[in-house]
C-alpha cells in the first residue's frame, strides 16, 4: 500500500472527537428483527390481515424493493465521493428504455447490459457537468431527468411504435429472466405460513418469499449490497473514494486524483440506477411503459438518506418502501388499515422511550398521535383508495422526518471543488 493510502487510512481510523455511535452486534440486530416480526405477527392476528406477511406479500415486496435499492445504492456511490445525484430518476428512465429496446430484440440479459450502459452514460454526463464544469449538482440532476424523459419519449416514437406489439408509449413484450424456486422448501414454508400461527407462520412467510419465484437478477442485485460495502469500506480504492467526499483538498494533498474518483463513482452510480430501470422493465413488468419509474429514483435517494449513507441501512429503507408499496397490490385497503394499528403501537413504544429520556413535550405529541391512530383504526374497517395509493409516499416523508436528527452525510457532499483548490 502506498504512503498516501497509509496516511489516509490512519486519518480515517483515528478516533473522532466526542466519541461515535456504538455499533450494534449481530445478536442485538437479530433480536431487533425478531421483535419486529413478533410485532407484525401480533398486528396480523388482531386485525385479521393474514396476507400481511404471506409468501406472496414478501415476494412482491422484494421485487418492488430491488429497483429502489439499486437507485439508493447508486446514490450512495455518488454521494460518498461528494456528488449529489438527484438525476437518479433520469438514469433509471434511461435504463428502462435501453433495457426494453435491447431486451425484446436480443434477449433479457442483453437488455440488462444495455440498461446498465445507458444509466452509466447518464452518470458520466452528470459527472462531466458537476465535476469538470462545476454546475450545481441539483440543477444538473434535474436537467438529466428532464432530458431523459424527453429523449426516451422521442426515441419511442420511431422504435417501439414501429415494432409488432409496441406503441409510442410502450415496448413489445420482453422474455423473462429465469426464476428460482426451491421446490420442497418453498412448498413447506407456504403450507406453514397458511396455518397462521403466531410468529412461526410469519417467519415461514418471510423465508418463503425469499425462495419462491426469485429472479436471478434479484440475486445479482442483493449481492451488490455486500459487494458495495466491501469495496467502499474494505479496500484502498474505497477509502480514497470516500476521502473525496469527506475532504477532497486533503485527499488531493495526499496524492489522490479526486477528479478520477468522482468520475468513477458517479458513472457507477448511473450504472446501478440504469440496472434498477432495466429491472423494472424486464423483471417487474416485462415491458417498457412511459413513466413506469414512478419516482423510484427519488425514493431510492430517500432510502439512502434513511440508511445514513450506509449500504445496510439503505437496504433496510428500500425494503420498507418496497413493503409499503406492495401492501396496496395484495389486500390493498385491508393491509394498509392494519398498518394503522402497527404505527399506533410503535408510537406507544416511542412515548415510553421519550418519558424515559424526560422529553415530556415529545412524549405528549407522540401519545396524542397514537391515540388518534387507535381511534381511526377502531372507527373504520377499510381505508379510502386514495390513501392506499399514497401510502408509499407518506411513508417516505415520515421516515425522512423521523430519521433526520441522526443523519451524518459526507462532509463535502454537494460542495464545489476545483483541482488545486488547497494550494
Amino acid at each position: 500500500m502506498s504512503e498516501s493510502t497509509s496516511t489516509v487510512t490512519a486519518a480515517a481510523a483515528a478516533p473522532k472527537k466526542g466519541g461515535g455511535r456504538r455499533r450494534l452486534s449481530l445478536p442485538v440486530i437479530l433480536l431487533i428483527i425478531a421483535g419486529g416480526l413478533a410485532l407484525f405477527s401480533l398486528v396480523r392476528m388482531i386485525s385479521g390481515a393474514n396476507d400481511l406477511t404471506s409468501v406472496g406479500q414478501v415476494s412482491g415486496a422484494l421485487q418492488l424493493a430491488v429497483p429502489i435499492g439499486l437507485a439508493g445504492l447508486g446514490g450512495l456511490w455518488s454521494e460518498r465521493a461528494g456528488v449529489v445525484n438527484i438525476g437518479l430518476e433520469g438514469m433509471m428512465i434511461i435504463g428502462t428504455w435501453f433495457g426494453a429496446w435491447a431486451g425484446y430484440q436480443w434477449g433479457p440479459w442483453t437488455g440488462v447490459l444495455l440498461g446498465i450502459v445507458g444509466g452509466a452514460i447518464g452518470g458520466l454526463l452528470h459527472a462531466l457537468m458537476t465535476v469538470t464544469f462545476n454546475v450545481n449538482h441539483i440543477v444538473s440532476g434535474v436537467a438529466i431527468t428532464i432530458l431523459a424523459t424527453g429523449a426516451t419519449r422521442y426515441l419511442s416514437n420511431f422504435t417501439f411504435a414501429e415494432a409488432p406489439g409496441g406503441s409510442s408509449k410502450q415496448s413489445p413484450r420482453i422474455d423473462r429472466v429465469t426464476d428460482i424456486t426451491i421446490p420442497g422448501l418453498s412448498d413447506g414454508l407456504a403450507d406453514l405460513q397458511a396455518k397462521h400461527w403466531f410468529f412461526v407462520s410469519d417467519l415461514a412467510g418471510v423465508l418463503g418469499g425469499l425462495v419462491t419465484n426469485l429472479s436471478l437478477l434479484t440475486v445479482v442485485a442483493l449481492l451488490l449490497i455486500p459487494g458495495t460495502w466491501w469495496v467502499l469500506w474494505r479496500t484502498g480504492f474505497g477509502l480514497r473514494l470516500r476521502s473525496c467526499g469527506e475532504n477532497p483538498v486533503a485527499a488531493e494533498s495526499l496524492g489522490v486524483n479526486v477528479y478520477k474518483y468522482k468520475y468513477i463513482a458517479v458513472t457507477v452510480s448511473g450504472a446501478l440506477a440504469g440496472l434498477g430501470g432495466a429491472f423494472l422493465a424486464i423483471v417487474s413488468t416485462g415491458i417498457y411503459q412511459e413513466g413506469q419509474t414512478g419516482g423510484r429514483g427519488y425514493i431510492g435517494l430517500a432510502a439512502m438518506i434513511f440508511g445514513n449513507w450506509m449500504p445496510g441501512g439503505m437496504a433496510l429503507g428500500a425494503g420498507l418502501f418496497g413493503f409499503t408499496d406492495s401492501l396496496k397490490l395484495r389486500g390493498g385497503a385491508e393491509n394498509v388499515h392494519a398498518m394503522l394499528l402497527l404505527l399506533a403501537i410503535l408510537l406507544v413504544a416511542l412515548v415510553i422511550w421519550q418519558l424515559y429520556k424526560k422529553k415530556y413535550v415529545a412524549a405528549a405529541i407522540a401519545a396524542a398521535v397514537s391515540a388518534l391512530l387507535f381511534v381511526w383504526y377502531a372507527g373504520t374497517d377499510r381505508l379510502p383508495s386514495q390513501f392506499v395509493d399514497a401510502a408509499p409516499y407518506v411513508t417516505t416523508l415520515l421516515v425522512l422526518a423521523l430519521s433526520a436528527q441522526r443523519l451524518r452525510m459526507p462532509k463535502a457532499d454537494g460542495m464545489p471543488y476545483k483541482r488545486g483548490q488547497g494550494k
Side-chain angles (χ1 to χ4, degrees), residues 73 98 112 118 159 223-224 238 241 291 338 358 360 380 410:
L73 208 58
F98 273 96
V112 169
T159 52
L223 291 176
L224 286 172
L241 187 146
K358 297 182 179 179
Y360 300 114
T380 57

Side-chain angles (χ1 to χ4, degrees), residues 56-73:
Q57 179 75 55
V58 175
S59 179
L62 181 61
Q63 189 174 98
L64 290 167
V66 166
I68 295 172
L70 287 170
L73 208 58

Side-chain angles (χ1 to χ4, degrees), residues 17 21 66 76-77 89 101 117 130 153 156 177 195 201 258 334 339 367 373 378 380:
K17 292 182 180 180
R21 187 180 297 274
V66 166
L76 189 147
W77 271 83
E89 176 76 6
W101 174 71
V117 171
T130 56
R153 185 175 299 170
S156 296
V177 173
K195 296 183 183 298
S201 291
V258 176
E334 182 184 9
M339 295 302 291
L373 288 175
T380 57

Side-chain angles (χ1 to χ4, degrees), residues 40 43-45 47-61 193-194 196 202 205-206 323 326-332 334-336 338:
F40 264 95
V43 169
R44 174 183 61 78
M45 297 190 74
S47 65
N50 289 322
D51 201 41
L52 203 59
T53 54
S54 67
V55 171
Q57 179 75 55
V58 175
S59 179
Q193 179 265 318
H196 306 311
D202 300 278
V206 172
F323 178 77
S326 71
L327 289 176
K328 66 182 182 182
L329 301 179
R330 296 180 58 90
E334 182 184 9
N335 285 341
V336 177

Side-chain angles (χ1 to χ4, degrees), residues 279-361:
F279 186 97
L280 270 176
I282 297 170
V283 177
S284 297
T285 60
I287 197 170
Y288 165 83
Q289 293 176 309
E290 187 177 301
Q292 74 184 128
T293 55
R296 286 177 176 84
Y298 300 117
I299 298 177
L301 197 64
M304 180 209 64
I305 296 171
F306 166 78
N308 214 4
W309 288 265
M310 294 293 290
M314 183 282 306
L316 182 63
L320 173 64
F321 299 135
F323 178 77
T324 309
D325 204 10
S326 71
L327 289 176
K328 66 182 182 182
L329 301 179
R330 296 180 58 90
E334 182 184 9
N335 285 341
V336 177
H337 182 251
M339 295 302 291
L340 290 178
L341 179 60
L342 177 66
L343 287 174
I345 295 173
L346 288 174
L347 284 173
V348 170
L350 180 62
V351 169
I352 296 172
W353 177 252
Q354 297 287 15
L355 290 174
Y356 173 74
K357 290 288 188 178
K358 297 182 179 179
K359 297 181 179 179
Y360 300 114
V361 175

